[in-house]
Amino acid sequence: MSPAERPLSPHLQVYRWQLTSVMSILHRATGIALSVGTIVLVSWLGAASDGPEPYAAVQHFLGSWIGLLLLFGWSVSLYYHLCNGIRHLVWDTGYALELNRVYTGGWAVLGATAALTVVSWVVGLAHWAH
Amino acid sequence: MTEQHTHAPMRSSLGRAIGLGSAKEGVTHWWRQRVSALALVPLTIWFVIGVIGLAGADHATFVAWVRNPMTAIFLILLLIATFYHTALGLQVVIEDYLEREWARLATLLVMRLLSVLFAVRGILAVLKLALGA
């Protein structure tokens, strides 16, 4: 077999999905999503500095269903990347690298992401309604 | 040393001592990514709490929030750390997936340019609001 035809690892077509690899892919995917999200952040700050009308326009867009959907995706991505990033920082110190603790940490990150997202939206929407 | 070389090592003793590897930057990129990540942990938590408190806020309320010196300082630090960390992360993604040299270089340059552009735009907006210009 020539070098060009040799199967590369990980061979995604035959690779069994597992928590560890999925979470690794998600870390990169949410990082890319958050990079796009920074444009929204800067637009929001820029509109506010331009005056009440541009600010109201951005607030109106963010309050629409598509705006809320974007904000929801942004919040899930942010909490995931934050929690999993902390997991990475812990690994960098040499802790929690045993396979069972890698899985425990993974589930903890997913649980924390879900909990933080739900709490943020309950509090945020309650605040918004007033 | 447990390493045994049956023939001449690929890496010179000097190369091993300097420890910068084939990319000539050693752990620099890795380390900067971790330091900016560490800075972003408290900054992000602070920002998210602030934004939730501002849900549906009018312009005057928002401006009053940014006029607080601590808010302005943290927002500028957040913008710097965010775009620095973003540029480092996107760099790795670009280097991983773009094989052709010119495409990789061009994308890296555009990505860096946009990162700096958005960071400066954000910082100027905060300064304008904070200084009341």
mmCIF file of all heavy atoms in Angstrom, chain B residues 31-64:
data_model
loop_
_atom_site.group_PDB
_atom_site.id
_atom_site.type_symbol
_atom_site.label_atom_id
_atom_site.label_comp_id
_atom_site.label_asym_id
_atom_site.label_seq_id
_atom_site.Cartn_x
_atom_site.Cartn_y
_atom_site.Cartn_z
ATOM 1 N N TRP B 31 1.492 27.813 26.351
ATOM 2 C CA TRP B 31 1.505 28.533 27.619
ATOM 3 C C TRP B 31 0.628 29.786 27.566
ATOM 4 O O TRP B 31 -0.138 30.064 28.492
ATOM 5 C CB TRP B 31 2.960 28.885 27.982
ATOM 6 C CG TRP B 31 3.093 29.608 29.277
ATOM 7 C CD1 TRP B 31 3.501 30.896 29.459
ATOM 8 C CD2 TRP B 31 2.811 29.091 30.594
ATOM 9 N NE1 TRP B 31 3.486 31.217 30.790
ATOM 10 C CE2 TRP B 31 3.076 30.140 31.504
ATOM 11 C CE3 TRP B 31 2.353 27.857 31.070
ATOM 12 C CZ2 TRP B 31 2.903 29.979 32.888
ATOM 13 C CZ3 TRP B 31 2.181 27.707 32.451
ATOM 14 C CH2 TRP B 31 2.451 28.758 33.338
ATOM 15 N N ARG B 32 0.716 30.537 26.468
ATOM 16 C CA ARG B 32 -0.094 31.753 26.324
ATOM 17 C C ARG B 32 -1.586 31.429 26.298
ATOM 18 O O ARG B 32 -2.412 32.175 26.807
ATOM 19 C CB ARG B 32 0.305 32.502 25.042
ATOM 20 C CG ARG B 32 1.629 33.195 25.183
ATOM 21 C CD ARG B 32 2.068 33.832 23.901
ATOM 22 N NE ARG B 32 3.348 34.519 24.104
ATOM 23 C CZ ARG B 32 4.076 35.030 23.134
ATOM 24 N NH1 ARG B 32 3.657 34.945 21.886
ATOM 25 N NH2 ARG B 32 5.211 35.636 23.388
ATOM 26 N N GLN B 33 -1.906 30.265 25.671
ATOM 27 C CA GLN B 33 -3.303 29.841 25.623
ATOM 28 C C GLN B 33 -3.808 29.540 27.040
ATOM 29 O O GLN B 33 -4.929 29.902 27.391
ATOM 30 C CB GLN B 33 -3.416 28.609 24.730
ATOM 31 C CG GLN B 33 -4.800 28.379 24.186
ATOM 32 C CD GLN B 33 -4.813 27.285 23.133
ATOM 33 O OE1 GLN B 33 -4.016 26.343 23.191
ATOM 34 N NE2 GLN B 33 -5.709 27.386 22.175
ATOM 35 N N ARG B 34 -2.979 28.894 27.846
ATOM 36 C CA ARG B 34 -3.387 28.561 29.232
ATOM 37 C C ARG B 34 -3.515 29.811 30.084
ATOM 38 O O ARG B 34 -4.456 29.948 30.864
ATOM 39 C CB ARG B 34 -2.378 27.615 29.912
ATOM 40 C CG ARG B 34 -2.024 26.370 29.132
ATOM 41 C CD ARG B 34 -3.206 25.515 28.825
ATOM 42 N NE ARG B 34 -3.112 25.148 27.422
ATOM 43 C CZ ARG B 34 -3.565 24.029 26.896
ATOM 44 N NH1 ARG B 34 -4.186 23.152 27.647
ATOM 45 N NH2 ARG B 34 -3.432 23.793 25.621
ATOM 46 N N VAL B 35 -2.544 30.744 29.981
ATOM 47 C CA VAL B 35 -2.580 31.960 30.803
ATOM 48 C C VAL B 35 -3.811 32.795 30.452
ATOM 49 O O VAL B 35 -4.521 33.275 31.349
ATOM 50 C CB VAL B 35 -1.273 32.779 30.626
ATOM 51 C CG1 VAL B 35 -1.384 34.133 31.307
ATOM 52 C CG2 VAL B 35 -0.085 32.009 31.190
ATOM 53 N N SER B 36 -4.097 32.945 29.150
ATOM 54 C CA SER B 36 -5.284 33.717 28.768
ATOM 55 C C SER B 36 -6.558 32.993 29.196
ATOM 56 O O SER B 36 -7.537 33.635 29.584
ATOM 57 C CB SER B 36 -5.285 34.006 27.260
ATOM 58 O OG SER B 36 -5.163 32.822 26.513
ATOM 59 N N ALA B 37 -6.534 31.650 29.184
ATOM 60 C CA ALA B 37 -7.701 30.878 29.643
ATOM 61 C C ALA B 37 -7.941 31.128 31.123
ATOM 62 O O ALA B 37 -9.077 31.349 31.560
ATOM 63 C CB ALA B 37 -7.481 29.385 29.388
ATOM 64 N N LEU B 38 -6.860 31.127 31.890
ATOM 65 C CA LEU B 38 -6.956 31.349 33.334
ATOM 66 C C LEU B 38 -7.527 32.740 33.625
ATOM 67 O O LEU B 38 -8.372 32.903 34.508
ATOM 68 C CB LEU B 38 -5.553 31.197 33.950
ATOM 69 C CG LEU B 38 -5.466 30.752 35.398
ATOM 70 C CD1 LEU B 38 -6.216 29.446 35.625
ATOM 71 C CD2 LEU B 38 -4.006 30.589 35.811
ATOM 72 N N ALA B 39 -7.083 33.749 32.867
ATOM 73 C CA ALA B 39 -7.594 35.112 33.047
ATOM 74 C C ALA B 39 -9.074 35.185 32.681
ATOM 75 O O ALA B 39 -9.850 35.918 33.307
ATOM 76 C CB ALA B 39 -6.786 36.089 32.190
ATOM 77 N N LEU B 40 -9.466 34.402 31.675
ATOM 78 C CA LEU B 40 -10.844 34.464 31.185
ATOM 79 C C LEU B 40 -11.848 33.799 32.136
ATOM 80 O O LEU B 40 -13.038 34.102 32.061
ATOM 81 C CB LEU B 40 -10.938 33.832 29.791
ATOM 82 C CG LEU B 40 -10.520 34.744 28.641
ATOM 83 C CD1 LEU B 40 -10.371 33.961 27.348
ATOM 84 C CD2 LEU B 40 -11.526 35.873 28.455
ATOM 85 N N VAL B 41 -11.393 32.907 33.008
ATOM 86 C CA VAL B 41 -12.344 32.240 33.916
ATOM 87 C C VAL B 41 -13.078 33.270 34.791
ATOM 88 O O VAL B 41 -14.308 33.377 34.696
ATOM 89 C CB VAL B 41 -11.657 31.140 34.769
ATOM 90 C CG1 VAL B 41 -12.616 30.593 35.818
ATOM 91 C CG2 VAL B 41 -11.159 29.998 33.871
ATOM 92 N N PRO B 42 -12.382 34.083 35.601
ATOM 93 C CA PRO B 42 -13.129 35.071 36.409
ATOM 94 C C PRO B 42 -13.778 36.158 35.563
ATOM 95 O O PRO B 42 -14.898 36.586 35.872
ATOM 96 C CB PRO B 42 -12.056 35.660 37.338
ATOM 97 C CG PRO B 42 -10.759 35.372 36.670
ATOM 98 C CD PRO B 42 -10.938 34.103 35.907
ATOM 99 N N LEU B 43 -13.093 36.610 34.494
ATOM 100 C CA LEU B 43 -13.645 37.686 33.658
ATOM 101 C C LEU B 43 -14.963 37.260 33.006
ATOM 102 O O LEU B 43 -15.918 38.039 32.945
ATOM 103 C CB LEU B 43 -12.639 38.088 32.576
ATOM 104 C CG LEU B 43 -11.428 38.913 33.035
ATOM 105 C CD1 LEU B 43 -10.392 39.032 31.918
ATOM 106 C CD2 LEU B 43 -11.866 40.303 33.499
ATOM 107 N N THR B 44 -15.015 36.010 32.534
ATOM 108 C CA THR B 44 -16.229 35.521 31.882
ATOM 109 C C THR B 44 -17.378 35.396 32.880
ATOM 110 O O THR B 44 -18.508 35.797 32.585
ATOM 111 C CB THR B 44 -15.963 34.153 31.221
ATOM 112 O OG1 THR B 44 -14.876 34.284 30.317
ATOM 113 C CG2 THR B 44 -17.184 33.645 30.474
ATOM 114 N N ILE B 45 -17.071 34.853 34.067
ATOM 115 C CA ILE B 45 -18.123 34.696 35.081
ATOM 116 C C ILE B 45 -18.666 36.078 35.462
ATOM 117 O O ILE B 45 -19.888 36.291 35.533
ATOM 118 C CB ILE B 45 -17.578 33.936 36.311
ATOM 119 C CG1 ILE B 45 -17.236 32.490 35.912
ATOM 120 C CG2 ILE B 45 -18.587 33.959 37.468
ATOM 121 C CD1 ILE B 45 -16.447 31.717 36.955
ATOM 122 N N TRP B 46 -17.760 37.054 35.657
ATOM 123 C CA TRP B 46 -18.180 38.424 35.975
ATOM 124 C C TRP B 46 -19.069 38.983 34.861
ATOM 125 O O TRP B 46 -20.128 39.580 35.124
ATOM 126 C CB TRP B 46 -16.936 39.313 36.155
ATOM 127 C CG TRP B 46 -17.261 40.776 36.130
ATOM 128 C CD1 TRP B 46 -17.748 41.522 37.170
ATOM 129 C CD2 TRP B 46 -17.186 41.644 34.990
ATOM 130 N NE1 TRP B 46 -17.960 42.821 36.746
ATOM 131 C CE2 TRP B 46 -17.628 42.924 35.420
ATOM 132 C CE3 TRP B 46 -16.783 41.487 33.670
ATOM 133 C CZ2 TRP B 46 -17.680 44.012 34.567
ATOM 134 C CZ3 TRP B 46 -16.833 42.573 32.807
ATOM 135 C CH2 TRP B 46 -17.279 43.824 33.260
ATOM 136 N N PHE B 47 -18.659 38.802 33.619
ATOM 137 C CA PHE B 47 -19.391 39.353 32.483
ATOM 138 C C PHE B 47 -20.791 38.744 32.352
ATOM 139 O O PHE B 47 -21.774 39.456 32.136
ATOM 140 C CB PHE B 47 -18.591 39.122 31.189
ATOM 141 C CG PHE B 47 -19.293 39.605 29.954
ATOM 142 C CD1 PHE B 47 -19.421 40.957 29.697
ATOM 143 C CD2 PHE B 47 -19.836 38.706 29.051
ATOM 144 C CE1 PHE B 47 -20.076 41.406 28.554
ATOM 145 C CE2 PHE B 47 -20.492 39.140 27.909
ATOM 146 C CZ PHE B 47 -20.610 40.495 27.669
ATOM 147 N N VAL B 48 -20.869 37.417 32.483
ATOM 148 C CA VAL B 48 -22.161 36.740 32.326
ATOM 149 C C VAL B 48 -23.145 37.212 33.398
ATOM 150 O O VAL B 48 -24.315 37.491 33.099
ATOM 151 C CB VAL B 48 -21.972 35.206 32.365
ATOM 152 C CG1 VAL B 48 -23.304 34.504 32.515
ATOM 153 C CG2 VAL B 48 -21.273 34.734 31.086
ATOM 154 N N ILE B 49 -22.663 37.346 34.636
ATOM 155 C CA ILE B 49 -23.534 37.839 35.706
ATOM 156 C C ILE B 49 -24.007 39.258 35.371
ATOM 157 O O ILE B 49 -25.187 39.589 35.513
ATOM 158 C CB ILE B 49 -22.800 37.795 37.072
ATOM 159 C CG1 ILE B 49 -22.554 36.335 37.476
ATOM 160 C CG2 ILE B 49 -23.601 38.524 38.148
ATOM 161 C CD1 ILE B 49 -21.639 36.152 38.672
ATOM 162 N N GLY B 50 -23.092 40.093 34.881
ATOM 163 C CA GLY B 50 -23.436 41.463 34.498
ATOM 164 C C GLY B 50 -24.481 41.514 33.398
ATOM 165 O O GLY B 50 -25.440 42.284 33.474
ATOM 166 N N VAL B 51 -24.295 40.668 32.372
ATOM 167 C CA VAL B 51 -25.219 40.661 31.230
ATOM 168 C C VAL B 51 -26.606 40.183 31.640
ATOM 169 O O VAL B 51 -27.622 40.739 31.201
ATOM 170 C CB VAL B 51 -24.645 39.788 30.083
ATOM 171 C CG1 VAL B 51 -25.702 39.490 29.042
ATOM 172 C CG2 VAL B 51 -23.458 40.482 29.436
ATOM 173 N N ILE B 52 -26.661 39.175 32.501
ATOM 174 C CA ILE B 52 -27.965 38.682 32.972
ATOM 175 C C ILE B 52 -28.689 39.817 33.714
ATOM 176 O O ILE B 52 -29.883 40.036 33.530
ATOM 177 C CB ILE B 52 -27.796 37.433 33.870
ATOM 178 C CG1 ILE B 52 -27.305 36.248 33.021
ATOM 179 C CG2 ILE B 52 -29.110 37.077 34.565
ATOM 180 C CD1 ILE B 52 -26.883 35.035 33.827
ATOM 181 N N GLY B 53 -27.937 40.584 34.503
ATOM 182 C CA GLY B 53 -28.521 41.713 35.225
ATOM 183 C C GLY B 53 -29.009 42.807 34.294
ATOM 184 O O GLY B 53 -29.879 43.597 34.649
ATOM 185 N N LEU B 54 -28.436 42.847 33.078
ATOM 186 C CA LEU B 54 -28.787 43.888 32.119
ATOM 187 C C LEU B 54 -29.873 43.455 31.135
ATOM 188 O O LEU B 54 -30.185 44.205 30.198
ATOM 189 C CB LEU B 54 -27.550 44.306 31.321
ATOM 190 C CG LEU B 54 -26.534 45.214 32.015
ATOM 191 C CD1 LEU B 54 -25.256 45.269 31.204
ATOM 192 C CD2 LEU B 54 -27.093 46.615 32.226
ATOM 193 N N ALA B 55 -30.438 42.268 31.306
ATOM 194 C CA ALA B 55 -31.451 41.753 30.369
ATOM 195 C C ALA B 55 -32.582 42.775 30.213
ATOM 196 O O ALA B 55 -33.235 43.151 31.192
ATOM 197 C CB ALA B 55 -31.989 40.417 30.861
ATOM 198 N N GLY B 56 -32.775 43.260 28.978
ATOM 199 C CA GLY B 56 -33.845 44.218 28.699
ATOM 200 C C GLY B 56 -33.580 45.632 29.178
ATOM 201 O O GLY B 56 -34.485 46.470 29.172
ATOM 202 N N ALA B 57 -32.330 45.925 29.601
ATOM 203 C CA ALA B 57 -32.011 47.260 30.115
ATOM 204 C C ALA B 57 -32.058 48.298 29.001
ATOM 205 O O ALA B 57 -31.712 48.004 27.860
ATOM 206 C CB ALA B 57 -30.622 47.244 30.749
ATOM 207 N N ASP B 58 -32.495 49.554 29.359
ATOM 208 C CA ASP B 58 -32.489 50.614 28.353
ATOM 209 C C ASP B 58 -31.083 51.211 28.242
ATOM 210 O O ASP B 58 -30.178 50.850 28.989
ATOM 211 C CB ASP B 58 -33.543 51.690 28.678
ATOM 212 C CG ASP B 58 -33.328 52.327 30.046
ATOM 213 O OD1 ASP B 58 -32.231 52.167 30.617
ATOM 214 O OD2 ASP B 58 -34.268 52.975 30.544
ATOM 215 N N HIS B 59 -30.923 52.131 27.279
ATOM 216 C CA HIS B 59 -29.605 52.688 26.980
ATOM 217 C C HIS B 59 -28.975 53.375 28.189
ATOM 218 O O HIS B 59 -27.784 53.192 28.474
ATOM 219 C CB HIS B 59 -29.706 53.659 25.795
ATOM 220 C CG HIS B 59 -28.380 54.124 25.293
ATOM 221 N ND1 HIS B 59 -27.919 55.401 25.495
ATOM 222 C CD2 HIS B 59 -27.395 53.466 24.620
ATOM 223 C CE1 HIS B 59 -26.703 55.516 24.944
ATOM 224 N NE2 HIS B 59 -26.368 54.361 24.408
ATOM 225 N N ALA B 60 -29.783 54.156 28.919
ATOM 226 C CA ALA B 60 -29.267 54.903 30.078
ATOM 227 C C ALA B 60 -28.713 53.950 31.144
ATOM 228 O O ALA B 60 -27.642 54.200 31.722
ATOM 229 C CB ALA B 60 -30.368 55.777 30.665
ATOM 230 N N THR B 61 -29.439 52.846 31.385
ATOM 231 C CA THR B 61 -28.997 51.864 32.381
ATOM 232 C C THR B 61 -27.681 51.226 31.939
ATOM 233 O O THR B 61 -26.762 51.038 32.744
ATOM 234 C CB THR B 61 -30.066 50.758 32.559
ATOM 235 O OG1 THR B 61 -31.332 51.386 32.730
ATOM 236 C CG2 THR B 61 -29.755 49.876 33.746
ATOM 237 N N PHE B 62 -27.611 50.911 30.634
ATOM 238 C CA PHE B 62 -26.409 50.287 30.097
ATOM 239 C C PHE B 62 -25.204 51.221 30.218
ATOM 240 O O PHE B 62 -24.126 50.824 30.675
ATOM 241 C CB PHE B 62 -26.632 49.889 28.630
ATOM 242 C CG PHE B 62 -25.456 49.176 28.024
ATOM 243 C CD1 PHE B 62 -25.287 47.810 28.204
ATOM 244 C CD2 PHE B 62 -24.500 49.874 27.294
ATOM 245 C CE1 PHE B 62 -24.192 47.153 27.657
ATOM 246 C CE2 PHE B 62 -23.400 49.213 26.746
ATOM 247 C CZ PHE B 62 -23.249 47.860 26.935
ATOM 248 N N VAL B 63 -25.406 52.497 29.848
ATOM 249 C CA VAL B 63 -24.311 53.472 29.913
ATOM 250 C C VAL B 63 -23.853 53.651 31.359
ATOM 251 O O VAL B 63 -22.649 53.703 31.636
ATOM 252 C CB VAL B 63 -24.745 54.833 29.296
ATOM 253 C CG1 VAL B 63 -23.682 55.899 29.531
ATOM 254 C CG2 VAL B 63 -25.008 54.669 27.798
ATOM 255 N N ALA B 64 -24.800 53.708 32.282
ATOM 256 C CA ALA B 64 -24.462 53.860 33.697
ATOM 257 C C ALA B 64 -23.604 52.681 34.169
ATOM 258 O O ALA B 64 -22.660 52.852 34.957
ATOM 259 C CB ALA B 64 -25.735 53.964 34.532
#
